[in-house]
């Protein structure tokens, strides 16, 4: 049973790392013109870092 849990955790970790790599690749390959004004670029950044643009709580 522990092996099954370990396998699921490993699979989940692999899926998350793959998703992160895909997102990083999308951002790296995104066209450069006026990216700060581009809603899709901001959306990709928000997916990469959910705290992006949010004030830090003190």
């Amino acid at each position: 049973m522990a092996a099954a849990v370990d396998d699921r955790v490993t699979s989940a970790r692999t899926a998350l790392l793959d998703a992160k790599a895909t997102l990083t690749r999308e951002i790296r390959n995104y066209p450069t013109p006026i990216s700060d004004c581009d809603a899709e670029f901001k959306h990709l950044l928000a997916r990469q870092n959910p705290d992006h643009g949010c004030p830090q709580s003190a």
Side-chain angles (χ1 to χ4, degrees), residues 3-58:
V5 171
D6 288 344
D7 289 345
R8 289 182 182 172
V9 169
T10 299
S11 293
R13 178 183 292 270
T14 300
L16 288 170
L17 290 172
D18 288 346
K20 181 180 178 183
T22 297
L23 183 57
T24 299
R25 196 169 35 255
E26 286 180 36
I27 290 172
R28 184 180 332 115
N29 295 326
Y30 197 82
T32 57
I34 316 174
S35 60
D36 191 43
C37 297
D38 191 321
E40 179 63 20
F41 186 76
K42 288 181 180 182
H43 174 73
L44 290 173
L45 286 178
R47 283 181 51 203
Q48 182 181 34
N49 182 4
D51 295 329
H52 180 75
C54 295
Q56 298 292 324
S57 57

